[in-house]
């Protein structure tokens, strides 16, 4: 089959690799000229690293990643340890795939280089897709560069998806009331024990602060989320002022203050977080959606990209099994809708839970400590490579 893909983000590139791996021809259209030089950290849990390994990317990922040993939740002011979940070898042996921390630009380079090396994948950059026409058993796509026909079209074009709008009409995503700051700190600027080999979340009233190593431990990625209104720009490239970030986390533990102080000036960005509720239906006929285009996911479970990667594997498996487009796309959607909707809702819930104060925060901390280390098992155990064989 000839698959057309709109969007060369993590989801679109992974879908291209999965489909080519299954023997199909792919034409991918990405609006920007240069793929992937933006963003900061991404956590890749075993449910998605399993797919990337299946695509032959293990070595390339090991060369760019940091392997965290555990998660840890801490009190915003006194650093008191609240709860932890093992990662590292425990997760790798239990789920057969590792938990990686990577720089987003490094991951994009790995995916882009892998896709560029596959003759069955044609990558068109600087090619914004403007319209699509469903012709029954064929689909026609018009980009800035050309008009092409394929057997199916995958809209992997993010939260403002052109393909979603073409199928279901324009609908703006809603501002969640949260701003995410991103910052990178060169590890050499920090005292040796300030950042542990962990995915650390500091929980505080109305805000939280996440940090972890990326790029083999050379950089510390910080994501700092604050409930705030009055600024609603959603962009990977909107710069922020250190003074504002310092004010947002005034009074927080000294480790957090030091990270903000030592952050690279050029790495300070802020992003207003938007989302949409789960969609009851994603695609129609031989057109479907994938990743943030159909289930934009807040970063509070670190699962948005993971869901896009899982989508890609399940979609390719459904096409391989059905051998016929419409049935395959329907099955893909049926297999994926509930899981992705659950992650969307869970991420929204975490936005509230992470930011509790007073007695509610105390109750949350006690529940988190009692839950022990197994709360992520259901998430990590999902095998996108075999779900089309085993379910339904
Ligand atoms: P996108 O990354 O949005 O890619 C869409 C692509 O389509 C873009 O390249 C865009 O240029 C292109 N495009 C759009 N319109 C068109 C068009 N008309 N024609 C051609 N091309 C088009 N997820 C995790 O799994 N782990 C994390 O740790 C994590 N941390 C995050 C931290 C922050 C601060 C944020 C904001 C998100 C985080 N996420 C994380 C979520 C993750 O970044 C997204 O879910 C993921 O990038 C979605 O990938 P995608 O390919 O579906 O969409």
């Amino acid at each position: 089959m000839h698959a057309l893909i709109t969007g060369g983000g993590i989801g679109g590139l992974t879908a291209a690799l999965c489909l080519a791996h299954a023997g199909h021809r792919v034409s991918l259209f990405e609006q920007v000229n240069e793929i992937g030089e933006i963003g900061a950290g991404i956590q890749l849990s075993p449910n998605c690293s399993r797919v990337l390994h299946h695509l032959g990317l293990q070595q390339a990922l090991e060369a760019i990643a940091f392997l965290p040993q555990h998660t840890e939740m801490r009190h915003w002011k006194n650093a008191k340890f609240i709860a932890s979940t093992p990662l590292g070898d425990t997760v790798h042996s239990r789920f057969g795939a590792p938990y990686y921390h990577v720089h987003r630009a490094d991951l994009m380079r790995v995916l882009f280089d892998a896709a560029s090396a596959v003759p069955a994948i044609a990558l068109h950059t600087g090619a914004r897709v403007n319209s699509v026409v469903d012709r029954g058993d064929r689909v026609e796509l018009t980009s800035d560069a050309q008009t092409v026909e394929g057997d199916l079209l995958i809209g992997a074009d993010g939260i403002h998806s052109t393909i979603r709008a073409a199928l279901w009409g324009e609908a703006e995503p809603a501002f969640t009331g949260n701003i995410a700051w991103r910052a990178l700190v060169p590890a050499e600027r920090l005292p040796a024990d300030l950042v542990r080999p962990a995915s650390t979340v500091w929980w505080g009233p109305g805000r939280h602060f996440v940090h972890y190593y990326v790029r083999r431990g050379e950089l510390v990625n910080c994501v700092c989320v604050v409930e705030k209104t009055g600024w609603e720009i959603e962009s990977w490239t909107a710069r922020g002022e250190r003074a504002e970030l310092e004010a947002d986390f005034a009074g927080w533990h000294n480790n957090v203050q030091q990270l903000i102080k030592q952050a690279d000036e050029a790495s300070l960005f802020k992003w207003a977080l938007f989302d949409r509720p789960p969609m009851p239906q994603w695609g129609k006929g031989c057109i479907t959606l994938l990743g943030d285009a159909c289930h934009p996911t807040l970063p509070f479970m670190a699962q948005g990209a993971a869901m896009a990667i899982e989508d890609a594997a399940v979609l390719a498996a459904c096409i391989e099994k059905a051998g016929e487009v419409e049935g395959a796309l329907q099955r893909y959607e049926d297999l994926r809708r509930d899981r992705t909707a659950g992650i969307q809702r869970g991420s929204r819930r975490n936005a509230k839970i992470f930011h509790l104060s007073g007695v509610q925060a105390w109750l949350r901390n006690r529940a988190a400590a009692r839950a022990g280390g197994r709360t992520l098992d259901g998430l990590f155990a999902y095998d996108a490579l075999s779900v089309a064989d085993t379910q339904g």
Side-chain angles (χ1 to χ4, degrees):
M1 287 191 202
H2 180 204
L4 309 177
I5 299 179
T6 303
I10 294 167
L13 286 169
T14 309
L17 288 165
C18 288
L19 288 164
H21 197 261
H24 304 293
R25 189 158 72 85
V26 179
S27 299
L28 182 148
F29 298 83
E30 165 56 49
Q31 64 184 357
V32 304
N33 292 318
E34 294 270 328
I35 285 189
E37 283 312 314
I38 49 172
I42 289 265
Q43 310 196 45
L44 298 174
S45 45
N47 44 310
C48 71
S49 63
R50 183 179 296 123
V51 173
L52 301 175
H53 282 197
H54 172 74
L55 294 170
L57 301 178
Q58 179 169 356
Q59 218 183 344
L61 288 170
E62 284 169 359
I64 59 162
F66 181 81
L67 291 166
Q69 296 308 304
H70 55 275
T71 68
E72 55 182 35
M73 280 70 192
R74 291 187 173 270
H75 184 278
W76 64 281
K77 194 165 188 172
N78 59 22
K80 200 174 148 212
F81 188 77
I82 299 168
S84 177
T85 309
L87 298 174
D89 291 344
T90 309
V91 152
H92 199 157
S93 62
R94 198 183 289 161
F95 303 105
Y99 197 105
Y100 290 124
H101 286 164
V102 296
H103 191 298
R104 189 190 193 89
D106 296 342
L107 173 65
M108 288 297 291
R109 205 167 310 114
V110 165
L111 294 171
F112 184 74
D113 287 352
S116 305
V118 178
I121 302 175
L123 294 174
H124 304 274
T125 51
R128 182 179 163 76
V129 172
N130 299 310
S131 65
V132 290
V133 182
D134 188 343
R135 300 207 179 282
D137 61 341
R138 310 280 295 156
V139 59
E140 188 181 283
L141 166 159
T142 302
S143 76
D144 287 342
Q146 57 186 299
T147 297
V148 283
E149 263 197 3
D151 298 297
L152 68 146
L153 169 67
I154 301 161
D157 48 353
I159 189 168
H160 298 288
S161 171
T162 302
I163 308 304
R164 194 197 57 80
L167 291 175
W168 304 111
E170 297 282 352
E172 289 304 314
F175 178 51
T176 60
N178 288 279
I179 304 286
W181 285 87
R182 291 172 292 121
L184 289 168
V185 189
E188 66 196 15
R189 288 187 192 166
L190 299 169
D193 54 352
L194 191 117
V195 172
R196 288 154 40 99
S199 172
T200 302
V201 189
W202 301 73
W203 284 338
R207 57 207 69 202
H208 71 276
F209 195 106
V210 180
H211 59 72
Y212 51 85
Y213 288 108
V214 295
R215 200 167 280 168
R216 299 171 301 275
E218 290 164 27
L219 296 169
V220 178
N221 175 60
C222 303
V223 181
C224 335
V225 177
V226 186
E227 288 174 17
K228 227 176 186 182
T229 49
W231 184 86
E232 299 185 7
I233 298 174
E234 189 197 20
S235 155
W236 286 108
T237 52
R239 292 206 172 272
E241 294 295 326
R242 192 189 308 271
E244 188 190 347
L245 178 56
E246 279 172 343
D248 280 347
F249 287 87
W252 278 52
H253 188 265
N254 185 45
N255 286 16
V256 171
Q257 307 282 350
Q258 279 206 57
L259 284 163
I260 295 172
K261 207 186 221 46
Q262 297 301 336
D264 215 345
E265 192 71 43
S267 75
L268 288 174
F269 291 97
K270 53 182 189 170
W271 171 301
L273 293 170
F274 283 71
D275 78 348
R276 296 176 194 279
M279 295 174 72
Q281 193 181 341
W282 294 356
K284 281 183 197 166
C286 53
I287 304 177
T288 194
L289 303 174
L290 180 150
D292 276 11
C294 44
H295 45 73
T297 305
L298 293 172
F300 308 141
M301 288 178 76
Q303 284 293 316
M307 289 303 112
I309 292 168
E310 286 184 4
D311 284 350
V314 176
L315 177 57
C318 288
I319 290 172
E320 197 167 359
K321 275 183 86 72
E324 165 272 321
V325 172
E326 273 194 45
L329 298 191
Q330 188 57 52
R331 175 136 171 78
Y332 151 71
E333 205 181 296
D334 291 344
L335 285 172
R336 294 296 298 156
R337 247 190 342 255
D338 285 354
R339 176 160 168 94
T340 54
I343 300 287
Q344 281 181 284
R345 293 194 191 100
S347 301
R348 274 186 167 198
R349 226 174 12 251
N350 277 357
K352 301 247 177 315
I353 292 170
F354 288 6
H355 296 178
L356 292 174
S357 58
V359 176
Q360 287 182 314
W362 182 83
L363 290 169
R364 171 203 64 199
N365 295 353
R366 198 176 59 157
R370 286 187 176 166
R374 294 244 166 192
T375 49
L376 298 171
D377 281 14
L379 184 57
F380 293 173
Y382 183 90
D383 185 359
L385 298 166
S386 68
V387 75
D389 298 321
T390 53
Q391 277 190 23

